[in-house]
Amino acid sequence: MRFSPRGRVMALALATTSLIAATAHAADAWPNHVIKFVVPFTAGGANDLVARAGAEAVSKRIGQPVVIENRPGAGGIVGADYVAKSKPDGYTFLVGAVGTVTNGLIRSKMPYAPDDLVPVGLIAVSPSVIVASPSVPVNNVKELIEYSKKQGGVPFATAGSGSTPHFVEEMLKEKGAVLTVVPYKSGSESITAVIGNQVVATSEASIVVLPQIKAGKLKALGATWDKRMPAAPNVATTAEQGLPEVRIGHWAGIFAPKGTDPAIIKKLNAELSAGMQSPDIRERLIQNGIEPAGGSVESFVAFIKSERERLGRIAKNANMSAD
């Protein structure tokens, strides 16, 4: 069948209208069954706790179950790769962390491309708290830097190459600290090493260290995010101590496989942002030193871009590598 020029325009307009209507209908129909949040770490850690809070918040809003599936391995790469290669149907998402940004900065080979994971929304952020053994004669971050110089270097524990504590260690070195990296397999092992005086200091997520600080087993030297934690109001931020560049958060955010309907991404973002403001979830996270976030898709995209540029510079200057 042949169309006149006017007929072709009308047919194209009708097809475009039908496509828009179909896309809107797909978003309206979403979700109609269980959604999966993939956590690329083991159960019980900071990322897992925040993921479960986010899943609960979203589930209550959308009226469908949101289940957590833990797929740990390779610093978060195993779980991220699984989601990146999942069907982009709006039912499988990644709860990513700093490694979602940094893994590609410190590894020469990655099983997926950065744009294979699309930012959806920021769930929450907690600072990385720099801690030392109570026996170490320092009380803040500047004193730790000076102490490390006088000692000719001190051991600083990390949770492995490219981990958040590793970035904190490199930020401190840029400020003059003389530190020797002692890599452990996890943050909990690093904390045990500090408590046992095997290393002088480390930096870990608030939820990991606050119980030990309150028990007197660790000494808090500074928190590495924008403001003090209501759960530990006496712990000054690094910015307050004149070290604003020593800044990093243990954040958790949702990512979708590339190709996921933008309308679904926008809808999930809206439900997440609203759900994270519920009083019970806010109280539960804040008491662990975690600040519920939310915000638009665009603000999360901008945050990821900024972190990739900022941490990329540090990784390059320090020749950080996980290969």
Side-chain angles (χ1 to χ4, degrees):
M1 180 183 295
R2 292 187 176 183
F3 290 99
S4 66
R6 182 180 179 185
R8 285 196 295 270
V9 171
M10 292 180 65
L12 179 60
L14 179 61
T16 301
T17 301
S18 299
L19 178 61
I20 293 172
T23 300
H25 177 71
D28 289 341
W30 178 91
N32 56 27
H33 61 81
V34 176
I35 292 172
K36 180 164 60 179
F37 279 7
V38 175
V39 174
F41 303 100
T42 55
N47 186 262
D48 181 73
L49 173 75
V50 172
R52 292 177 189 277
E56 179 186 335
V58 170
S59 180
K60 288 180 178 178
R61 298 276 308 175
I62 65 176
Q64 290 287 349
V66 180
V67 300
I68 298 295
E69 182 175 305
N70 296 91
R71 285 181 172 263
I77 291 177
V78 171
D81 184 48
Y82 171 81
V83 174
K85 294 172 181 173
S86 293
K87 185 177 179 180
D89 57 3
Y91 291 94
T92 302
F93 297 91
L94 173 72
V95 179
V98 175
T100 310
V101 171
T102 60
N103 280 326
L105 302 174
I106 63 174
R107 296 175 184 267
S108 58
K109 294 182 180 179
M110 289 284 288
Y112 61 90
D115 63 357
D116 287 340
L117 293 169
V118 180
V120 176
L122 188 61
I123 305 174
V125 184
S126 67
S128 189
V129 184
I130 301 170
V131 294
S133 166
S135 63
V136 179
V138 299
N139 294 298
N140 56 55
V141 180
K142 283 193 171 182
E143 288 182 4
L144 174 64
I145 293 172
E146 292 305 313
Y147 178 75
S148 72
K149 293 177 183 178
K150 292 178 181 178
Q151 295 296 312
V154 298
F156 189 97
T158 74
S161 296
S163 63
T164 300
H166 191 183
F167 274 94
V168 171
E169 181 264 346
E170 292 297 340
M171 292 173 185
L172 291 173
K173 285 171 70 174
E174 287 188 347
K175 293 300 179 181
V178 183
L179 305 172
T180 301
V181 172
V182 181
Y184 289 87
K185 293 181 180 179
S186 67
S188 60
E189 289 185 10
S190 296
I191 294 303
T192 299
V194 175
I195 293 173
N197 287 306
Q198 296 167 342
V199 295
V200 167
T202 189
S203 186
E204 256 305 329
S206 56
I207 188 172
V208 177
V209 299
L210 286 183
Q212 307 291 356
I213 292 170
K214 292 176 181 177
K217 295 181 179 180
L218 290 174
K219 182 191 300 182
L221 306 182
T224 64
W225 202 239
D226 298 332
K227 56 184 179 180
R228 295 195 184 199
M229 299 172 286
N234 293 329
V235 180
T237 67
T238 45
E240 289 177 297
Q241 298 180 42
L243 302 165
E245 295 82 7
V246 182
R247 178 182 181 274
I248 195 167
H250 287 263
W251 56 265
I254 299 176
F255 295 79
K258 183 179 180 180
T260 301
D261 187 340
I264 290 177
I265 290 175
K266 186 174 182 179
K267 187 173 181 180
L268 176 55
N269 171 275
E271 301 297 358
L272 172 69
S273 294
M276 294 308 294
Q277 298 309 310
S278 65
D280 58 329
I281 288 178
R282 284 187 59 82
E283 182 180 355
R284 190 188 321 161
L285 293 179
I286 288 173
Q287 70 182 1
N288 285 306
I290 300 171
E291 183 68 29
S296 67
V297 174
E298 292 75 16
S299 66
F300 189 38
V301 169
F303 173 77
I304 295 297
K305 181 177 183 293
S306 174
E307 287 295 274
R308 183 172 282 117
E309 293 173 352
R310 186 174 70 91
L311 299 179
R313 178 193 63 78
I314 294 170
K316 182 178 180 180
N317 291 346
N319 293 315
M320 293 172 66
S321 174
D323 292 333

